[in-house]
Amino acid sequence: MHTRRYHHGDLRAALLTRAEQTLREKGPGALSLRELARDLGVSHAAPSRHFKDKQALLDALALAGFERLDEALSASRDAAGEAFTDRLRGFVRAYVDFARANAELLDLMYTIKHGPAASEALIAAGQRLGAMAGELVAEGQRSGEVREGPVDSIAMPVFTTLHGFASFAVSGVLSAEEATSGFDAVFAYILRGCGPS
Amino acid sequence: MHTRRYHHGDLRAALLTRAEQTLREKGPGALSLRELARDLGVSHAAPSRHFKDKQALLDALALAGFERLDEALSASRDAAGEAFTDRLRGFVRAYVDFARANAELLDLMYTIKHGPAASEALIAAGQRLGAMAGELVAEGQRSGEVREGPVDSIAMPVFTTLHGFASFAVSGVLSAEEATSGFDAVFAYILRGCGPS
DNA sequence: ACCTGAACACCGTTCAAGT
DNA sequence: ACCTGAACACCGTTCAAGT
């Protein structure tokens, strides 16, 4: 009864934080606006001030996921050395690690359910990731470690492999052990796929 | 009031058929056991005789999806000629076409939500697909069009690329046009990734 | 064996009203 | 501006009872 009241405008942030926590711990099916409101000590109608819809909250969650993935990939790039293969390897690693550490969130990010309003922002976020892959490929072309040709026609398949591997790891098609032991094979295959001649 | 009664045991099949229809037409959020029952002129408690859970129905739907994908891939193999690249190309085509024609179903098939009971059967279904990719790769090795090495270390990345591309097409990361125009680039990249030397 | 009808606890969403 | 409380229509699930 003496719980915080959240008149400060941080209810929105609190809802997102808590939602991601229950998504991670109990899965997407357990996400309920009413329970979120209960957990935060707020009336069940309060969330509607910040998210017009349950879908709107899910959209915001997915968008936050893209932003964090973006940061993780940027960080991996900044941490890498000069060598192209190291940089590419770090990029792949960062994506796969994020996927495995945020399985439910990744599932949500790439789910089909997003409303057309949010899809725009989500697709833009996805394209930012694709652009990062494109920069990496362009670097590789300049150093001669990636074959000539339109950047997108190389970066798209590379990114696609990356995502497929992460998706298989997340959905359980690959077990945790297979995902770990298969990384090198996937990376070697990616190098072959984009390498010269 | 004079609707069919389904005492024949075909309620289970009717539920699945109808469920897939509304999944396709109105999306996963619109799937409700009660509405399904209503649509089929049956009491709202009737489905529970055939599916202990809503999740059990979703699991069955996903499993049926894997079976149909399996058939589509088998059919593509039987329809293909002798040449390895044609056979591989047909395999990739069949997977991508299935994905684009059954977007919501593919999303469900690879979703993370499946109960541990069903996961076993679903993972087995996924592994059957992987085995088909493995056979194809082994053929390519025999004809010298795929490089030497453990079959799985080549088939897994190939299948992964396939799935990543399909997943991007389904989730809207790639527009319909990009998915169409990007196919050749992806296929060329797959050939490079598994090719010799 | 298969289905019905009522019951229960829980949703998402809306809206007047409060502060 | 932000939140509450009541209300509405809809769920999934269970269980006695019917055929």
Side-chain angles (χ1 to χ4, degrees):
Chain A
M1 309 306 159
H2 323 83
T3 46
R4 281 250 197 72
R5 298 293 258 306
Y6 295 104
H7 349 63
H8 326 302
D10 56 358
L11 178 55
R12 194 192 134 96
L15 283 165
L16 285 174
T17 301
R18 181 77 191 182
E20 193 191 331
Q21 186 183 346
T22 85
L23 179 68
R24 167 172 274 113
E25 290 169 3
K26 306 202 239 167
L31 254 183
S32 134
L33 286 180
R34 284 180 105 111
E35 186 173 4
L36 244 36
R38 246 179 274 130
D39 290 345
L40 268 54
V42 104
S43 98
H44 66 259
S48 76
R49 291 290 131 181
H50 300 276
F51 300 103
K52 87 175 226 300
D53 238 7
K54 184 181 184 181
Q55 189 58 50
L57 183 141
L58 295 177
D59 293 345
L61 220 43
L63 200 53
F66 272 112
E67 281 159 9
R68 274 169 38 207
L69 175 53
D70 216 276
E71 288 167 19
L73 292 175
S74 296
S76 95
R77 189 187 47 186
D78 297 344
E82 306 278 293
F84 168 72
T85 59
D86 288 348
R87 295 172 73 77
L88 182 58
R89 188 184 197 100
F91 190 82
V92 177
R93 250 268 102 77
Y95 194 99
V96 172
D97 285 352
F98 178 90
R100 294 181 66 181
N102 303 274
E104 299 84 1
L105 185 59
L106 193 88
D107 208 56
L108 177 63
M109 284 159 61
Y110 288 103
T111 205
I112 211 167
K113 272 184 68 178
H114 300 291
S119 294
E120 201 183 336
L122 287 171
I123 286 172
Q127 284 172 338
R128 234 172 303 138
L129 299 185
M132 292 185 62
E135 288 171 29
L136 213 45
V137 163
E139 283 182 32
Q141 287 184 320
R142 284 194 288 274
S143 71
E145 286 161 287
V146 171
R147 72 174 196 280
E148 302 289 313
V151 172
D152 281 351
S153 74
I154 304 171
M156 187 272 279
V158 169
F159 194 40
T160 268
T161 306
L162 192 58
H163 176 68
F165 185 59
S167 172
F168 274 164
V170 155
S171 67
V173 172
L174 294 174
S175 67
E177 302 82 49
E178 289 172 323
T180 300
S181 69
F183 182 89
D184 288 338
V186 168
F187 183 63
Y189 160 92
I190 290 176
L191 278 183
R192 278 175 175 274
C194 66
S197 84
Chain B
M1 314 307 156
H2 322 82
T3 46
R4 280 251 197 72
R5 297 294 258 308
Y6 294 104
H7 349 61
H8 327 303
D10 56 359
L11 177 55
R12 194 191 133 94
L15 283 165
L16 284 174
T17 302
R18 182 76 193 183
E20 192 189 332
Q21 188 183 344
T22 85
L23 179 67
R24 168 173 273 111
E25 290 171 0
K26 304 200 239 166
L31 255 184
S32 133
L33 287 180
R34 283 180 106 112
E35 186 173 3
L36 245 34
R38 243 178 277 132
D39 290 345
L40 268 52
V42 102
S43 96
H44 66 258
S48 74
R49 292 289 131 183
H50 301 278
F51 301 102
K52 86 174 225 301
D53 241 5
K54 185 180 184 183
Q55 188 58 50
L57 182 142
L58 294 177
D59 292 346
L61 219 44
L63 199 53
F66 272 112
E67 281 159 9
R68 274 169 38 209
L69 176 52
D70 216 277
E71 289 167 18
L73 293 175
S74 297
S76 95
R77 189 187 46 187
D78 298 346
E82 306 277 294
F84 168 73
T85 58
D86 287 348
R87 294 173 73 76
L88 183 58
R89 188 184 195 99
F91 191 83
V92 176
R93 251 264 103 78
Y95 194 99
V96 173
D97 284 351
F98 178 90
R100 294 181 67 181
N102 303 273
E104 299 84 2
L105 185 58
L106 193 87
D107 208 55
L108 178 63
M109 287 159 60
Y110 287 103
T111 205
I112 211 168
K113 270 185 70 177
H114 301 292
S119 295
E120 204 182 338
L122 288 171
I123 285 172
Q127 284 172 339
R128 233 174 303 137
L129 299 184
M132 293 184 63
E135 287 172 29
L136 213 44
V137 164
E139 282 184 32
Q141 287 183 321
R142 285 193 290 274
S143 72
E145 286 161 287
V146 171
R147 73 174 195 282
E148 303 290 312
V151 173
D152 281 352
S153 74
I154 304 170
M156 187 271 280
V158 169
F159 194 39
T160 266
T161 306
L162 192 55
H163 175 67
F165 185 60
S167 172
F168 274 165
V170 155
S171 67
V173 173
L174 294 173
S175 69
E177 302 81 49
E178 289 170 322
T180 299
S181 69
F183 182 89
D184 287 337
V186 168
F187 183 63
Y189 160 92
I190 290 175
L191 279 183
R192 279 173 174 275
C194 66
S197 89

